[in-house]
Amino acid sequence: MGSAIDSETGTGTGGIGETFVVRVVRAEEWAAAKELRLAALRDPVAHLAFLETYEVAAERPDAFWQERTAGAAEGSDRARQIIAEAPDGEWAGTLTVLVEEAGTTDWAGFPVEHRQGHVVGVFVRPEYRGRGLTERIFDAALAWSWETGLERVRLIVHEDNERAQGLYRKVGFAPSGVVVPLEGREDERELEFVFERGA
């Protein structure tokens, strides 16, 4: 499920996005990954952006965060977590690409027809929004996806999360027409956005 972000507007020469390092997480950085995830779950739009709650995540043991980070770190071919690291070492933003194999079934029970990436956990800290960081994180995620041989990349976004939808369109994603119902929330829906390879 989607993101907690604002529309990103600044990408010009000299923008803050150019002073940050965009890279893949390392397995030993699980504590920083945990801290950033918990920050994301405290965001005012977290209820629209994430299926998990802060309360549930905060109770998870260190072993969970260690395994989760290692599974998306350098060397993994099943997932890749990209971060934007500030000059002082603070993690300013992140997203993760999960690999979905054709012929399987996704988390919502839909058949997976393509070998594809599924973007989850998009988050940029409020103080860094609007400066082009999200575009750089997506660029790195898409580059890895194509290098890995994925046919397309998708993400799911809440129908009411208009800020995130605007950002996804800006970085090249488009609605596919697939609508995902939310279990236990019959009056709400999520929309699939897709970035096709070569687009």
Side-chain angles (χ1 to χ4, degrees):
M1 189 170 169
S3 68
I5 48 174
D6 278 323
S7 295
E8 302 291 336
T9 57
T11 57
T13 302
I16 192 168
E18 297 178 7
T19 67
F20 283 60
V21 174
V22 175
R23 64 173 178 83
V24 181
V25 300
R26 295 183 282 270
E28 65 271 17
E29 296 177 314
W30 64 269
K34 173 184 176 181
E35 188 278 327
L36 189 58
R37 177 64 174 179
L38 293 179
L41 294 173
R42 288 190 297 266
D43 191 271
V45 299
H47 67 287
L48 294 180
F50 306 113
L51 294 175
E52 185 178 39
T53 66
Y54 172 83
E55 292 74 20
V56 169
E59 291 297 318
R60 296 190 186 279
D62 288 348
F64 168 85
W65 299 103
Q66 291 163 358
E67 181 178 345
R68 176 178 171 140
T69 305
E74 291 176 325
S76 172
D77 60 358
R78 305 301 312 150
R80 186 60 54 102
Q81 183 177 4
I82 310 292
I83 59 146
E85 185 176 19
D88 65 1
E90 180 177 44
W91 287 12
T94 186
L95 67 73
T96 299
V97 182
L98 308 175
V99 175
E100 297 177 326
E101 297 292 347
T104 62
T105 302
D106 72 9
W107 62 275
F110 288 87
V112 177
E113 298 177 355
H114 309 270
R115 186 169 189 268
Q116 62 191 13
H118 186 163
V119 172
V120 297
V122 181
F123 176 69
V124 172
R125 295 183 193 271
E127 61 267 33
Y128 297 117
R129 294 176 187 170
R131 305 180 187 189
L133 281 179
T134 304
E135 288 94 328
R136 289 192 58 199
I137 297 169
F138 265 97
D139 285 348
L142 290 168
W144 177 79
S145 298
W146 309 145
E147 290 166 7
T148 305
L150 303 183
E151 299 173 36
R152 68 179 198 156
V153 176
R154 69 172 184 149
L155 52 83
I156 308 295
V157 59
H158 196 283
E159 62 183 346
D160 294 336
N161 197 345
E162 295 179 2
R163 293 185 308 175
Q165 290 182 42
L167 183 279
Y168 297 147
R169 285 186 170 92
K170 184 175 181 180
V171 298
F173 286 77
S176 70
V178 173
V179 176
V180 181
L182 280 168
E183 185 176 352
R185 293 152 69 177
E186 290 75 16
D187 59 338
E188 298 180 52
R189 305 180 308 161
E190 294 193 307
L191 311 175
E192 181 187 66
F193 277 54
V194 174
F195 193 117
E196 300 285 353
R197 186 170 189 170

